Amino acid sequence: MVKISVILPVIPDSIQTYQTVFNLLSQDLQEIEVLAAGDTEIGEWATLLPQETENDPRLRIIDSKGLTEAAIKNEAMQQSKGEYVTFMQAGDRMLPQMLSMLYALANRYHLDAAGCGYIFLQAQGGMPRPARQELETYSYEDFIALTKKAFENRLLDLIEKRQVYKAYNKIYSAEFLQRFGIQFQEYAHLEDRLFNVECAKHIRNFAFINRPMYQHVIREEEQLQGPFSMQRFDVATEIHENLIKMFHKWGKYNERARYRINHIYVESIVHCFSQLYDPNCTMEIRDKMLYIMHILSQPQVQDALSGYNPEIPYSKTVCKILRSNNPSFILTFAHGVNLAQVRFNRLFYKVRQRPVDEEIRKFKRE
């Protein structure tokens, strides 16, 4: 019986793809299948991986020529045979015990999903730097929520700890996904967020392991908040509206929940503005200011800016800046946020040397 299906959208870089597949096939949990999906006519991986399938039948190749990453994941989910499903990006790594630990937890308590912490590492020449160059860790405390109410009480904490932004640090019950028809939507670089929010609507039980067992490699072209996308505001608004509806439905939309949901939304809006200075953004200054005014004119944004938590200085200050309705001033603020983040990242790349988990420091690179 296949316990976990790992869906891996491949990239033309055959070395990174092959290393990730090798990492997966070396997991402690043997009852897995790896679904490598991509265009079999592009890249050397199309020649290398089929040879590997002869050595290890757990590896399957799915030809997904012409499909987007979201469509690739959806197609692979339909063809998967595992009791649980998870996802991975080419070039990333899992600690050897990640899948076995998550599956043991999920299987014991019959969970809809289970997750663990993850780490961002900076790429160097196509390879991760040593773990001592760890860029950032995203995690949360250990917990098991065996009832829907218990999960609901944890959801905002999980969002604020960036645990709803990624799909690769979790396993999902295949039966759960099929029962509710949950799939990835076509939002470039942002489909994981919508996928997880859709899951959150229906999850009855969930568990989290705080140990960071997934390593995501940040390439030179990436930023912590992802590349510029005109869809980012639409995604942020959809998530915001879904959260409000969910908490209303659960009877938990009180003043505290409103403050926290608005804070998450305002942070997303600031990210939208700061990415106007992303190298991929080709908008002129005038168009950037019009874009800012368009977003600030939306009723959801106006409501969020009026519902900030006055006890949090950052929230109060940012909301005051955005409510100024001065696009030139806001654009200057956004530029400052972008510069601060870029410089902050570079500082981490150069000087951050804090020790990390022993298992991660000894984790081998093939």
Side-chain angles (χ1 to χ4, degrees):
M1 180 188 74
V2 177
K3 294 180 178 178
I4 297 180
S5 296
V6 185
I7 295 173
L8 173 67
V10 299
I11 58 177
D13 189 323
S14 58
I15 300 299
Q16 291 187 13
T17 298
Y18 191 81
Q19 289 174 337
T20 301
V21 169
F22 185 81
N23 168 252
L24 287 169
L25 296 177
S26 302
Q27 284 284 304
D28 289 349
L29 185 67
Q30 294 297 302
E31 299 91 339
I32 67 171
E33 65 173 356
V34 178
L35 305 180
D39 189 341
T40 56
E41 297 181 2
I42 299 179
E44 295 181 4
W45 76 271
T47 302
L48 292 173
L49 290 191
Q51 298 174 1
E52 190 64 32
T53 60
E54 299 177 3
N55 300 323
D56 197 325
R58 295 178 299 167
L59 174 63
R60 294 166 54 195
I61 309 297
I62 298 178
D63 187 5
S64 53
K65 182 179 180 180
L67 297 182
T68 63
E69 183 166 330
I72 288 174
K73 291 177 182 177
N74 292 335
E75 175 65 23
M77 279 196 292
Q78 292 181 357
Q79 297 191 35
S80 65
K81 301 176 181 178
E83 183 182 354
Y84 283 84
V85 176
T86 190
F87 307 90
M88 197 169 187
Q89 293 187 11
D92 292 358
R93 304 295 182 85
M94 294 179 180
L95 290 184
Q97 66 271 40
M98 173 176 161
L99 295 183
S100 60
M101 290 182 67
L102 289 178
Y103 178 80
L105 193 60
N107 183 60
R108 178 178 179 181
Y109 294 104
H110 307 288
L111 302 177
D112 290 333
C116 66
Y118 60 96
I119 289 177
F120 281 174
L121 300 176
Q122 184 194 10
Q124 184 181 33
M127 292 288 290
R129 287 188 175 184
R132 65 186 180 87
Q133 294 291 341
E134 173 193 349
L135 177 61
E136 190 59 272
T137 298
Y138 293 99
S139 191
Y140 184 56
E141 63 188 22
D142 289 323
F143 77 89
I144 301 177
L146 296 180
T147 65
K148 187 169 182 60
K149 183 176 181 180
F151 172 72
E152 293 167 1
N153 291 334
R154 295 278 189 168
L155 181 56
L156 286 177
D157 288 335
L158 289 171
I159 295 175
E160 290 176 344
K161 295 297 184 180
R162 304 296 192 269
Q163 295 306 319
V164 176
Y165 290 178
K166 305 297 180 184
Y168 48 58
N169 66 320
K170 304 174 186 68
I171 63 173
Y172 306 84
S173 164
E175 185 275 331
F176 164 76
L177 296 177
Q178 293 169 4
R179 176 156 38 97
F180 293 103
I182 300 174
Q183 292 189 321
F184 288 89
Q185 300 182 43
E186 295 292 345
Y187 281 100
H189 309 290
L190 302 167
E191 59 266 14
D192 279 12
R193 300 190 184 194
L194 288 174
F195 178 82
N196 280 320
V197 169
E198 187 64 27
C199 288
K201 293 180 182 179
H202 308 288
I203 283 179
R204 300 161 300 182
N205 41 49
F206 181 86
F208 189 84
I209 300 174
N210 70 354
R211 179 181 296 175
M213 294 188 286
Y214 189 97
Q215 299 180 353
H216 173 60
V217 179
I218 301 293
R219 276 80 185 180
E220 292 181 0
E221 67 273 13
E222 285 187 88
Q223 296 183 22
L224 274 179
Q225 303 302 331
F228 173 79
S229 171
M230 290 292 290
Q231 296 176 316
R232 181 171 291 274
F233 175 69
D234 295 332
V235 174
T237 301
E238 185 170 342
I239 291 174
H240 179 66
E241 293 175 344
N242 280 334
L243 288 175
I244 292 175
K245 291 178 182 177
M246 287 162 56
F247 277 79
H248 270 301
K249 183 179 179 180
W250 297 340
K252 295 180 179 294
Y253 193 69
N254 51 32
E255 185 176 52
R256 180 171 178 270
R258 179 172 179 254
Y259 282 157
R260 296 182 70 184
I261 291 174
N262 284 344
H263 181 74
I264 293 167
Y265 188 38
V266 170
E267 277 194 329
S268 298
I269 294 170
V270 172
H271 293 157
C272 290
F273 293 164
S274 68
Q275 290 193 320
L276 291 172
Y277 286 94
D278 182 272
N280 295 315
C281 179
T282 58
M283 297 169 64
E284 299 293 336
I285 295 294
R286 180 176 179 276
D287 294 329
K288 290 179 180 180
M289 289 194 290
L290 290 174
Y291 175 73
I292 288 173
M293 294 308 297
H294 170 71
I295 288 180
L296 293 179
S297 68
Q298 302 306 304
Q300 304 96 323
V301 177
Q302 292 292 320
D303 181 70
L305 294 178
S306 65
Y308 65 88
N309 189 344
E311 297 179 0
I312 303 178
Y314 167 83
S315 179
K316 182 178 181 179
T317 302
V318 170
C319 287
K320 184 176 181 179
I321 292 173
L322 298 185
R323 289 172 64 186
S324 70
N325 288 322
N326 184 333
S328 178
F329 178 52
I330 295 172
L331 194 58
T332 301
F333 167 70
H335 190 201
V337 172
N338 179 271
L339 286 176
Q341 179 162 353
V342 170
R343 291 170 180 171
F344 185 67
N345 291 354
R346 288 174 180 169
L347 179 64
F348 267 114
Y349 297 160
K350 293 179 180 179
V351 304
R352 190 169 188 179
Q353 304 259 329
R354 68 184 179 90
V356 295
D357 189 278
E358 182 71 17
E359 294 167 301
I360 296 175
R361 290 195 292 108
K362 293 184 177 180
F363 193 50
K364 295 181 179 179
R365 295 183 308 206
E366 292 80 12

